[in-house]
Amino acid sequence: MAKKNNFENIVDFFFELGTLRKVIRAHQQALFGNDASDNIASHTFRVCFIGYFLAQIEKADAFKVVMMCLVHDIPEIRTGDQNNIHKKYVKAFEDEVINDQLNGLPFSEFLKNLFFEYEERKTKEAKIAKDADILDEIFLLKEYSTTGNKEAERWLKNHSHSKFLNTKTAKEIYKVIIKKNISDWWKTFATFNKRR
């Protein structure tokens, strides 16, 4: 097979990334959910913003954290997402996947190194990126529990996710998530006056 030029590889990778919108998150099985908007792409979007803020507050390399947040789940395009039940029985070869996905792309070594650094969780940036991943799950549990999902409410009250947070900032944000109402963000500026 003839080797593709870099632009063909890049376009193929971008098409593959687009399928993240179709990869439903596996916790829906255990939460008895059916939320098509809860996919790996929407998860990654918020994780990146959470990671950016955590990195700035914790005085870490924000660019590196955001890039880790971007790459942390891309193997799931090919493996699917797995919850903790699946992980007991199914082995996802994410190292192979990330190598196959990124081979032939410019800057691939940089992206691979970020992925593996994230997976090892030894650096400050990797721990912050993981905190962002966990916090997104906690935000989601709060949103689901507020809208009536009793299983999500039970998970949230169990506090099992929070014990895995690494940074002081993430732990403080967790406390605020638990206290806040999910609609508080718009109540200070929304108007209910009718306009003619």
Side-chain angles (χ1 to χ4, degrees):
M1 177 192 259
K3 187 174 179 179
K4 298 177 184 179
N5 67 39
N6 277 343
F7 291 116
E8 289 180 359
N9 288 332
I10 291 169
V11 168
D12 285 346
F13 181 62
F14 290 170
F15 274 127
E16 183 174 351
L17 285 176
T19 68
L20 278 174
R21 289 178 279 210
K22 305 297 182 186
V23 181
I24 301 300
R25 297 183 69 209
H27 61 231
Q28 290 192 44
Q29 177 185 5
L31 287 173
F32 292 89
N34 188 19
D35 178 5
S37 71
D38 181 21
N39 56 57
I40 300 301
S42 62
H43 162 69
T44 300
F45 178 78
R46 185 159 57 183
V47 169
C48 287
F49 273 97
I50 295 168
Y52 174 78
F53 280 88
L54 291 177
Q56 292 287 22
I57 295 166
E58 292 284 331
K59 298 188 180 355
D61 184 337
F63 173 76
K64 191 174 188 183
V65 169
V66 170
M67 291 304 297
M68 279 184 191
C69 292
L70 278 172
V71 302
H72 85 284
D73 277 342
I74 62 171
E76 292 179 6
I77 295 168
R78 298 185 185 190
T79 66
D81 188 22
Q82 283 129 27
N83 62 35
N84 289 332
I85 298 165
H86 301 145
K87 288 176 183 176
K88 179 173 170 60
Y89 303 101
V90 177
K91 169 70 175 140
F93 297 94
E94 290 189 342
D95 294 3
E96 278 182 44
V97 173
I98 198 79
N99 281 314
D100 288 349
Q101 284 175 312
L102 299 177
N103 276 342
L105 291 173
F107 324 113
S108 64
E109 290 308 309
F110 170 72
L111 296 173
K112 287 179 197 177
N113 289 338
L114 285 172
F115 177 81
F116 293 123
E117 182 178 334
Y118 170 80
E119 288 294 307
E120 290 175 358
R121 309 264 202 288
K122 291 181 180 172
T123 65
K124 184 176 188 177
E125 286 76 15
K127 290 175 182 176
I128 289 171
K130 185 58 183 176
D131 278 359
D133 183 45
I134 294 167
L135 282 174
D136 178 64
E137 184 70 17
I138 295 167
F139 273 107
L140 191 75
L141 289 172
K142 178 72 174 201
E143 292 159 352
Y144 281 179
S145 68
T146 300
T147 57
N149 184 315
K150 296 293 185 190
E151 190 65 14
E153 183 179 335
R154 191 176 69 77
W155 282 22
L156 196 61
K157 286 181 179 173
N158 184 8
H159 303 290
S160 61
H161 289 78
S162 63
K163 67 184 173 189
F164 297 108
L165 294 171
N166 295 287
T167 63
K168 181 180 176 185
T169 303
K171 291 172 184 176
E172 290 301 315
I173 288 173
Y174 166 75
K175 291 177 192 173
V176 176
I177 294 169
I178 298 304
K179 290 190 302 191
K180 293 288 279 181
N181 185 304
I182 67 169
S183 61
D184 284 349
W185 68 271
W186 58 262
K187 289 184 177 176
T188 59
F189 64 84
T191 179
F192 296 101
N193 296 332
K194 289 184 179 179
R195 293 180 184 240
R196 294 181 186 241

